DNA sequence: CTGTTAGCGCTTTCAG
DNA sequence: CTGAAAGCGCTAACAG
C-alpha cells in the first residue's frame, strides 16, 4: 500500500456529526454552510470547510431530502432512444437544468403503457419535484398517479389534447395537415405514405390523420400506404419504399412517418437509379441534421425537440405549484424547404 | 368538481402509518409486505394490500433507502448525447437493468472534467449502488471520490489503461492500429485523417496514435490531417473532407474519427462528383446503422456500444463488492468490410 | 450568528 | 407470524 495513512478511512462514513465535531460547531451550522443558506461568520465557515475537505465529506441527499421534504429530482420518461429525437429532447432538458440544482432521472418506456406505469411508480417513489413524461396518453393507473402526485407534471411532445398539468410540444394533427397542404400547393396529386410501426406512436398517427384530412378536402387520398411493423430506422425506410413503389409505381410523392424512414427512401432511390424530386419526391418529419446534409437536402417538417425539453424544464423551474388550469405550450413546427419535394 | 369524493385526498400524504392504521396492523408489518420479505399470514397480507390500494400508497424510497442504507440507484455519466453512440450505451444499460430493481440516474458531462467532477459529487450524494462513468481519465478530485465511494464503479468504453474497479470497453489504440493495418494490406499508401475536435476525446486520440504507429512501422504517415474544433457531425465531416482534399489532393484514403464524420465525407464526395472507393476511399469508426444503408455501405470498425452498457450493468449486478484486483472486460471490435475502402 | 429540539418515513434488530 | 423501539443523516423551526 503506497497510500498515505492520513487519507480519510474508507470504512467509517463521515456525516455532519463528524464534521461538526472536528470543526467544533453544531451540526446545524455545518448543514447551513453546506446548503449556502443563512448567514455564518467567515471564520466559522472556513473552519468547517477545512473539516469538510479533510474528511472528504459528501452530504447525504437521501437524508437531506427526507428532512426537507423536497428533492431536486426531475423524473424523465421517454419512449425510446433508438433514433436521435429523444436524446435531443434530453439535451434540451439538460440544458434547461444546468445552473439549477436539479437532477434528471431518466427511464425508457419502449412505447409500452404498462412499462410506463411501473416506471412512473418507480419515479414517484423518489418524491421528485417534477415528472416529465412523453405524450398525453397513458393508461388509467398512470394518469391517476400523475394526477395525484404532489409535484409538477409535464407532458412533452404534443399538445393535441388536454394535459394534466402542462403540456409542451406541437400540434401533430396540424403538422400533418400542413404537410399535405404544402405538397398539394406544389401540384402533387399522387400521394404515397411510408411508415414505421405507428401502432404505439400516437403522434405519428395524428400526423397521418391530418394528412388524410387535407387530401380528402382536395378530393384525394393516399394511393398506397406501406407500413412496417417495426420501429423506425433507415433500413426499414428503404425496404418500405421499395415495397410502396412495387405496389403503386405511379406514386409521385411519398410522405414518411419521420426523417429516419425518409432517409431510407432517399437511399433506396439512389440505389435504384430513381431521380429524387422528379421520379419520386420525398417528404419527412423532424428536421434532423442528416437531412440537411444529404446531397439533395431533405424536404421535411421541423419539430423543435431541443426546445421542447428546455421549455419543459423552464416551466417546472418557474413554479413548484401547478397552475389553476392545465396549460399548453406550443413549440410550433416549420416546413423545411429541401430539394426532395 | 366531478371526481368521486371517495378518492383518496390529494392533500394528505399517505405513509406506512395511514396504511397500518387502516389495516389494523403495525407499521413493521406493512413494511415487510411492501418489501415482500419475511413471512406474513395470507389474511393479513390481503387486508394490508387492500388498504394500500384504497389509499393509493406509494412507499417513499428516500426514507426506505436512508433507513436501509442502500439504494437501488445506478448513477450514469456520459460525455454527450449529440450522436447516437451514447444513447446506444444507455439502451444497453436499460436492457441490463430491466428485470432488476435498479434504476439509472443519467447526467451528461459535455466532455468536461470539471463538470464531471461536480456531477460525480452530485451522484454520490444519492448513495448509489454503483456509478458508471465514461472513460478511464478523470481529474484528481473525481478519481479520489470514485475510489473512496462505497459502491461499485464501472469505467466504460475503453480498457486501454488500469481502472479503479472494473472497466468495460475496447482497446482504442489497437482499434486504430488494426484500422491502418487493414488499409495498408489493401494496398493504400496515401493516407489522410479527418477528425472532429479530439482534444477532449481521449479515445479518438488513442485510435489516432494507433494508426500513426502502424503507418510509421510501414515507413509511412498521414499526408494530411484535417481536424475541426467542434464536436463531430455529418456537416462538419463534409467541411473537413473538402478542406483535406484542397490541401492534399493526392490523398487516396481518408480515415475518419468516427462514422458521423465519415458519412459527411461520403456526402461530400457525392456532391463533388468524386467516385468513392476509387477517387477517395473512406473509413469510419463505430459501425452505426446509417453506414450500413448508404448506397455504398461504409467501411468502418464496429464498436459494441450496446454490449458495453449491458455488460457494465451485468458486472455490478453480479456482486455489490469490488473485486480484489481491478478487472478489464474487453468487448472487442471488428472491421466492417463495406464498399468505401 | 449559532445551537437545541424534533422530527422526515421507513427499516432494523430483538422480543414475544 | 407480529410488534415496539431505536435509529438512518439531515433540516426546520425556534430560541438565544
Amino acid at each position: 500500500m503506497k497510500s498515505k495513512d492520513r487519507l480519510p478511512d474508507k470504512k467509517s462514513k463521515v456525516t455532519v456529526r463528524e464534521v461538526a465535531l472536528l470543526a467544533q460547531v453544531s451540526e446545524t451550522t455545518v448543514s447551513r454552510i453546506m446548503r449556502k443558506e443563512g448567514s455564518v461568520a467567515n471564520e466559522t465557515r472556513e473552519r468547517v470547510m477545512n473539516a469538510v475537505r479533510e474528511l472528504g465529506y459528501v452530504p447525504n441527499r437521501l437524508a437531506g431530502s427526507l428532512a426537507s421534504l423536497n428533492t431536486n429530482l426531475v423524473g424523465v420518461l421517454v419512449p425510446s432512444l433508438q433514433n436521435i429525437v429523444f436524446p435531443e429532447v434530453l439535451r434540451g432538458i439538460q440544458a434547461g437544468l444546468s445552473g439549477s440544482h436539479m437532477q434528471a432521472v431518466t427511464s425508457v418506456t419502449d412505447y409500452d403503457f404498462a412499462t410506463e406505469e411501473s416506471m412512473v411508480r418507480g419515479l414517484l417513489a423518489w418524491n421528485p419535484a417534477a415528472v416529465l413524461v412523453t405524450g398525453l396518453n397513458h393508461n388509467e393507473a398512470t394518469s391517476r398517479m400523475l394526477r395525484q402526485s404532489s409535484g409538477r407534471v409535464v407532458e412533452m411532445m404534443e399538445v393535441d389534447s388536454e394535459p394534466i398539468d402542462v403540456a409542451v410540444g406541437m400540434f401533430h394533427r396540424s403538422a400533418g395537415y400542413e404537410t399535405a397542404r404544402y405538397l398539394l400547393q406544389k401540384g402533387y396529386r399522387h400521394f404515397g405514405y411510408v411508415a414505421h410501426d405507428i401502432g404505439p406512436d400516437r403522434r405519428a398517427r395524428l400526423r397521418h390523420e391530418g394528412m388524410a384530412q387535407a387530401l380528402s378536402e382536395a378530393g384525394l387520398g393516399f394511393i398506397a400506404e406501406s407500413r412496417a411493423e417495426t420501429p423506425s430506422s433507415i433500413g426499414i425506410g428503404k425496404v418500405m419504399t421499395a415495397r410502396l413503389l412495387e405496389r403503386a409505381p405511379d406514386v409521385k410523392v411519398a410522405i414518411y412517418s419521420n426523417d429516419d424512414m425518409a432517409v431510407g427512401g432517399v437511399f433506396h432511390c439512389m440505389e435504384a437509379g430513381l431521380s429524387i424530386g422528379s421520379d419520386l419526391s420525398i417528404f419527412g418529419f423532424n428536421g434532423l441534421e442528416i437531412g440537411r446534409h444529404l446531397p439533395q437536402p431533405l424536404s421535411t417538417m421541423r419539430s423543435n425537440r431541443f426546445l421542447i425539453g428546455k421549455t419543459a424544464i423552464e416551466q417546472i423551474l418557474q413554479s413548484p405549484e401547478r397552475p389553476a388550469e392545465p396549460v399548453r405550450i406550443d413549440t410550433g413546427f416549420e416546413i423545411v424547404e429541401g430539394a426532395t419535394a
Side-chain angles (χ1 to χ4, degrees), chain A:
Chain A
M1 299 295 145
K2 63 193 169 186
S3 73
K4 307 211 182 67
D5 292 52
R6 284 167 32 249
L7 281 179
D9 184 356
K10 284 149 202 185
K11 259 75 248 247
S12 66
K13 54 203 130 303
V14 306
T15 70
V16 256
R17 187 151 213 288
E18 280 67 51
V19 178
L21 249 37
L22 213 185
Q24 312 254 54
V25 295
S26 73
E27 300 183 12
T28 316
T29 300
V30 175
S31 169
R32 265 199 282 265
I33 290 173
M34 294 312 287
R35 277 175 298 131
K36 309 177 199 313
E37 187 255 86
S39 46
V40 193
N42 270 331
E43 198 247 324
T44 313
R45 182 192 317 284
E46 268 179 33
R47 199 144 33 86
V48 170
M49 287 314 290
N50 283 336
V52 165
R53 267 188 289 270
E54 184 166 339
L55 298 173
Y57 171 60
V58 178
N60 183 333
R61 287 236 183 125
L62 288 170
S65 295
L66 179 59
S68 65
L69 293 177
N70 65 55
T71 57
N72 57 356
L73 285 181
V74 178
V76 181
L77 242 36
V78 294
S80 157
L81 296 173
Q82 294 265 18
N83 62 27
I84 199 70
V85 168
F86 289 103
E88 285 184 5
V89 175
L90 295 184
R91 284 209 302 125
I93 290 173
Q94 297 282 353
L97 246 30
S98 85
S100 84
H101 61 153
M102 298 259 165
Q103 216 168 0
V105 186
T106 308
S107 300
V108 180
T109 67
D110 269 318
Y111 283 105
D112 181 67
F113 283 141
T115 307
E116 185 186 46
E117 176 187 338
S118 84
M119 293 190 150
V120 165
R121 184 169 287 116
L123 285 178
L124 289 179
W126 292 102
N127 244 295
V131 178
L132 276 50
V133 296
T134 303
L136 293 160
N137 265 216
H138 318 286
N139 71 19
E140 188 53 41
T142 303
S143 300
R144 196 181 324 122
M145 284 190 287
L146 290 175
R147 233 177 291 115
Q148 289 185 12
S149 77
S150 56
R152 298 295 308 267
V153 176
V154 185
E155 290 165 289
M156 300 184 294
M157 306 316 281
E158 49 172 317
V159 291
D160 292 74
S161 51
E162 174 102 334
I164 293 171
D165 171 349
V166 39
V168 179
M170 51 179 281
F171 287 97
H172 285 262
R173 210 169 191 296
S174 313
Y177 187 88
E178 295 301 334
T179 295
R181 287 296 315 154
Y182 172 79
L183 294 170
L184 283 165
Q185 269 163 23
K186 286 212 138 192
Y188 290 104
R189 289 297 175 269
H190 301 269
F191 288 81
Y193 176 67
V194 178
H196 61 283
D197 178 15
I198 61 172
D201 188 341
R202 187 174 102 111
R203 292 172 291 287
R205 290 204 311 274
L206 285 169
R207 294 194 296 274
H208 179 264
E209 275 178 34
M211 294 165 202
Q213 186 186 338
L215 293 183
S216 146
E217 286 175 8
L220 296 169
F222 287 113
I223 308 179
E225 306 202 348
S226 174
R227 305 189 187 194
E229 301 194 328
T230 53
S232 76
S233 69
I234 294 174
I236 201 72
K238 254 168 121 162
V239 172
M240 289 296 116
T241 303
R243 204 162 293 176
L244 180 83
L245 294 177
E246 246 166 51
R247 207 177 298 165
D250 49 332
V251 164
K252 279 298 167 204
V253 60
I255 308 183
Y256 286 77
S257 52
N258 67 29
D259 279 3
D260 294 83
M261 299 294 288
V263 168
V266 167
F267 289 171
H268 169 81
C269 291
M270 286 178 171
E271 284 178 37
L274 295 172
S275 166
I276 298 166
S278 50
D279 291 335
L280 181 70
S281 290
I282 288 176
F283 199 95
F285 174 77
N286 264 334
L288 301 187
E289 197 226 353
I290 182 176
R292 290 204 299 282
H293 298 299
L294 251 17
Q296 294 175 59
L298 182 66
S299 300
T300 187
M301 175 74 88
R302 177 180 303 119
S303 61
N304 299 305
R305 304 164 300 281
F306 182 90
L307 180 64
I308 290 175
K310 190 149 170 287
T311 307
I313 293 299
E314 284 165 3
Q315 282 302 304
I316 65 140
L317 252 30
Q318 213 165 77
S319 153
E321 304 296 334
R322 296 191 190 174
E325 290 297 319
V327 173
R328 301 189 204 188
I329 298 178
D330 185 0
T331 50
F333 53 77
E334 306 98 45
I335 297 269
V336 178
E337 304 219 20
T340 64

